[in-house]
Amino acid sequence: MGAGIVGLATAYELQQRGLQVTVIDQAQPGTGASGGNGAQLSYSYVQPLADASIWRQLPRLLLSPSSPLKLRPQWDTHQWHWGLAFLRACNRHTSERSTERLLALAALSRHRFEAMLQSESIDCDFSRTGKLVLYDTPAGLASAQRQMELQRAWGSQQQAVSAARCAEIEPALQHYQHRIAGAIYTPSECAADCLKLCQGLQAVLAARGVRFLLGARVQGFVRQGRRIAAVRTSAGAVEAQQFVLALGSHSHPVARTLGLRLPVYPLKGYSITLDTTEASATVPRVNVTDAARKVVFARIGHRLRVAGMAELVGHDARIPPARIESLCQATRALFPGCSQFEELRPWTGMRPATPTGLPVVGPHASGPANLLLNTGHGSLGFTLAFGTAAQVAELLAPA
């Protein structure tokens, strides 16, 4: 259940192990949270949003009209449960433990993703050009360096660099270096067009006999004792021996039909996709994250993906013009000559986030015996998809 990058990666890993697979989704593959995501594959930059530093940032993040974080309280107990659990996770011990587990999962995901890409040769504008995370204050840079040293113990290869070095690594930042206090540089980071990858995976899987039931909304389940006999959809019931729930932010309401509560809530994000100019010196080649604005930039072919924001507003698909203008302003500030800004392709998506930043993978303690979960990847869905897919495949069909 689910045809985003997580669901498709899971279908791929299961098909590779000889299982007959049906993929069910109410939309076309990759058109949910995967479609317009930040495009960065951040295997070494996985620090969860829940961090002790959130407490001192909270007033500015919640009250500033230009804040990248927005909260709109609702009459929704799930939102309040999630928010309180998130605040409880904002401590150093939880953040460090989550970071260690995320780095290990990201390493597995990189291995499985690159093996798939080499085997299938899917055209998805994949690049391995590295990543710069920019900081505008010495204090911000110092905090990032502490995180870098923490991650070094777990095998992460990163380095702190000066503003001048940033401009050498990415010449398109030359004009902006006076605004940079420093950066964390990860040479091995990658980028790709997640939507093109999803479409390519669908084609590969369909050619190998995987059944796609698209335009079918999951409505509930047919139970037989402690097992699921079938999933009920708007296109009829689908029987199977095993079921995997990978519906992103919709996983929680679907799980509720089984009496299960999942700690997954939508974090709404936005992106624009710009056609780049021919002036290569003004267009970034390296992935860039502006830590102050919480905006990411990724080159995908002849386009630039710009993404950011995190809003706890429920499933709200509206795209406020002010949010898109904020992304345009950030782009003009860092890379003013990168595009004519004629076509923005505004997009919004609901990242399925857990309070700790760790995805929910495997059986539920109170759930049916033949149901596995694969959801809650937050803003790291693309990065972690093939890692959690491999974990699910190992549970269902050990190698």
Side-chain angles (χ1 to χ4, degrees), residues 322-346:
R323 285 315 213 183
I324 300 307
E325 179 55 29
S326 176
L327 293 176
C328 288
Q329 289 175 0
T331 309
R332 289 190 175 100
L334 270 71
F335 308 112
C338 72
S339 174
Q340 299 296 327
F341 293 86
E342 292 174 345
E343 188 174 358
L344 303 180
R345 303 181 186 94

Side-chain angles (χ1 to χ4, degrees), residues 273-322:
T273 306
L274 304 167
D275 294 321
T276 56
T277 62
E278 295 182 4
S280 59
T282 65
V283 183
R285 183 183 62 89
V286 173
N287 295 328
V288 173
T289 295
D290 183 336
R293 293 183 176 90
K294 291 185 168 47
V295 173
V296 303
F297 303 85
R299 180 84 166 267
I300 44 177
H302 297 289
R303 295 160 296 142
L304 182 67
R305 175 67 50 76
V306 185
M309 323 297 182
E311 298 182 351
L312 283 83
V313 295
H315 284 93
D316 179 357
R318 292 174 295 179
I319 303 180

Side-chain angles (χ1 to χ4, degrees), residues 195-207:
L195 178 58
K196 289 179 70 172
L197 177 63
C198 288
Q199 293 167 341
L201 279 171
Q202 180 194 13
V204 166
L205 292 168

Side-chain angles (χ1 to χ4, degrees), residues 85-375:
F86 172 78
L87 291 176
R88 285 195 297 271
C90 290
N91 62 81
R92 191 179 71 176
H93 175 72
T94 301
S95 178
E96 290 182 359
R97 185 177 57 186
S98 296
T99 297
E100 181 180 14
R101 293 176 62 184
L102 288 169
L103 282 171
L105 181 56
L108 171 63
S109 194
R110 180 200 284 271
H111 171 70
R112 296 304 304 160
F113 171 71
E114 294 188 358
M116 179 280 300
L117 210 56
Q118 183 175 12
S119 176
E120 310 300 345
S121 301
I122 296 174
D123 177 16
C124 59
D125 296 317
F126 175 78
S127 64
R128 193 197 311 270
T129 54
K131 176 175 178 176
L132 284 165
V133 182
L134 311 180
Y135 294 89
D136 62 349
T137 66
L141 179 62
S143 177
Q145 287 178 289
R146 289 191 292 272
Q147 180 71 17
M148 180 186 71
E149 293 302 326
L150 173 70
Q151 295 186 174
R152 193 188 305 279
W154 300 318
S156 183
Q157 299 296 315
Q158 299 171 298
Q159 54 188 278
V161 297
S162 66
R165 179 62 180 140
C166 285
E168 292 176 1
I169 295 167
E170 178 46 76
L173 288 169
Q174 183 73 40
H175 77 102
Y176 193 74
Q177 63 175 304
H178 68 284
R179 300 279 301 275
I180 302 172
I184 301 298
Y185 177 47
T186 312
S188 61
E189 298 289 56
C190 310
D193 186 328
C194 191
L195 178 58
K196 289 179 70 172
L197 177 63
C198 288
Q199 293 167 341
L201 279 171
Q202 180 194 13
V204 166
L205 292 168
R208 294 176 184 168
V210 171
R211 176 191 178 200
F212 282 85
L213 186 60
L214 303 175
R217 184 168 57 86
V218 175
Q219 297 175 324
F221 300 90
V222 178
R223 300 282 297 266
Q224 285 186 352
R226 292 201 65 250
R227 297 180 65 84
I228 297 172
V231 55
R232 291 189 293 105
T233 80
S234 55
V238 179
E239 296 182 351
Q241 293 176 317
Q242 301 285 342
F243 297 83
V244 180
L245 181 58
L247 284 170
S249 62
H250 292 288
S251 297
H252 171 72
V254 170
R256 290 293 287 168
T257 68
L258 291 166
L260 308 178
R261 180 182 291 276
L262 300 185
V264 177
Y265 191 83
L267 279 188
K268 185 179 181 181
Y270 302 90
S271 77
I272 56 176
T273 306
L274 304 167
D275 294 321
T276 56
T277 62
E278 295 182 4
S280 59
T282 65
V283 183
R285 183 183 62 89
V286 173
N287 295 328
V288 173
T289 295
D290 183 336
R293 293 183 176 90
K294 291 185 168 47
V295 173
V296 303
F297 303 85
R299 180 84 166 267
I300 44 177
H302 297 289
R303 295 160 296 142
L304 182 67
R305 175 67 50 76
V306 185
M309 323 297 182
E311 298 182 351
L312 283 83
V313 295
H315 284 93
D316 179 357
R318 292 174 295 179
I319 303 180
R323 285 315 213 183
I324 300 307
E325 179 55 29
S326 176
L327 293 176
C328 288
Q329 289 175 0
T331 309
R332 289 190 175 100
L334 270 71
F335 308 112
C338 72
S339 174
Q340 299 296 327
F341 293 86
E342 292 174 345
E343 188 174 358
L344 303 180
R345 303 181 186 94
W347 173 92
T348 188
M350 311 297 162
R351 311 181 194 100
T354 65
T356 63
L358 292 170
V360 181
V361 183
H364 191 288
S366 305
N370 60 338
L371 173 70
L372 293 181
L373 307 170
N374 193 3
T375 186

